[in-house]
Structures are given as C-alpha cells and as structure tokens.
Amino acid sequence: MAGRYDTTDRQQRLTIKDSSTEHYDALLHLADVILQLAGELDYLTAPTLCETVAHLMAAGHRHLFLDLSAITWCDNASLYTLLGIRTALQHADGTLTVTATSPAIRQALTRTGLRLGT
C-alpha cells in the first residue's frame, strides 16, 4: 500500500516513502510522519525532499522521522538541506529525527565535520 506522502524526484534518483503506517507503531507516538529515503540525495534531488517536507508542514505535521539507511550518495549541500529542514521544523515547534543512516550519509558527515546529535 502506498503511503500518503510517497514521491520520487524527476530523475528517479531519490525515492521518498511514507512509512508511517507500517512497522513503526512504537514510533508513531513520537512522530507525525516517518519517511524512508532511498537513492541519491544531492543538490538535484534535495528539492524533492524540501517540497515533501513543505507539504507535510502545510498539512500541520511538525514531528518528522527520516530513515536514511538506503541513501547511496549524499553531497554536502544535502546535509545543509537537512539542517535547514530541522531549523524550519524547530521554528514551527517541531522536531526532525534521523532514525538510521547509511555509509554514504556517514561519509558526508565526516567530509563536512558535522555530527549527528546525541
């Protein structure tokens, strides 16, 4: 069953799957929406993520979980996009939580000197 917020970028390099209704019952009390991202997250595909988050926020969602375990490439611009999404959610009294990362995400974090919050 497709999730309410499933989408793919125009180049079909990034898939965003709304996993809020499957396998995450224990997390749903903490998050409004749980998104699984797969593929490449870069300056060409990040706008698709931003549009999805803007749509979620316009619908009243303020607490977002991202599963990044299936990301195969992440550039520096995309990390800063994630920081921007976190800031936007915080300004709306919301939260962004990364529930899982891939080696590509961890490599991008190392390249930039950024760390995941603890």
Side-chain angles (χ1 to χ4, degrees), residues 12 35 37-38 47 49 51 55 57 74 76 85-86 89 91 93 97 99-100 102 105 110-111 117:
Q12 297 192 4
L35 298 178
L37 280 62
L49 176 59
E51 290 169 11
H55 182 72
M57 291 180 72
C74 180
N76 296 355
I85 290 169
R86 181 189 69 176
L89 287 164
H91 284 297
D93 294 323
T97 302
T99 61
S102 68
I105 295 291
T110 300
R111 275 195 318 268

Side-chain angles (χ1 to χ4, degrees), residues 38-117:
E40 299 175 17
L41 185 57
D42 62 20
Y43 74 98
L44 292 173
T45 60
T48 301
L49 176 59
C50 291
E51 290 169 11
T52 300
V53 172
H55 182 72
L56 290 167
M57 291 180 72
H61 300 290
R62 298 292 182 263
H63 302 283
L64 178 62
F65 278 20
L66 294 181
D67 177 344
L68 305 177
S69 62
I71 292 295
T72 58
W73 171 253
C74 180
D75 67 3
N76 296 355
S78 297
L79 290 178
Y80 290 102
T81 297
L82 293 172
L83 291 173
I85 290 169
R86 181 189 69 176
T87 299
L89 287 164
Q90 286 175 335
H91 284 297
D93 294 323
T95 57
L96 174 65
T97 302
V98 175
T99 61
T101 60
S102 68
I105 295 291
R106 290 189 294 278
Q107 289 170 357
L109 288 167
T110 300
R111 275 195 318 268
T112 60
L114 293 172
R115 296 182 314 129
L116 292 176

Side-chain angles (χ1 to χ4, degrees), residues 1-2 6 20-22 42 46 62 64 72:
M1 181 173 134
D6 289 359
S20 302
T21 58
E22 54 184 65
D42 62 20
R62 298 292 182 263
L64 178 62
T72 58

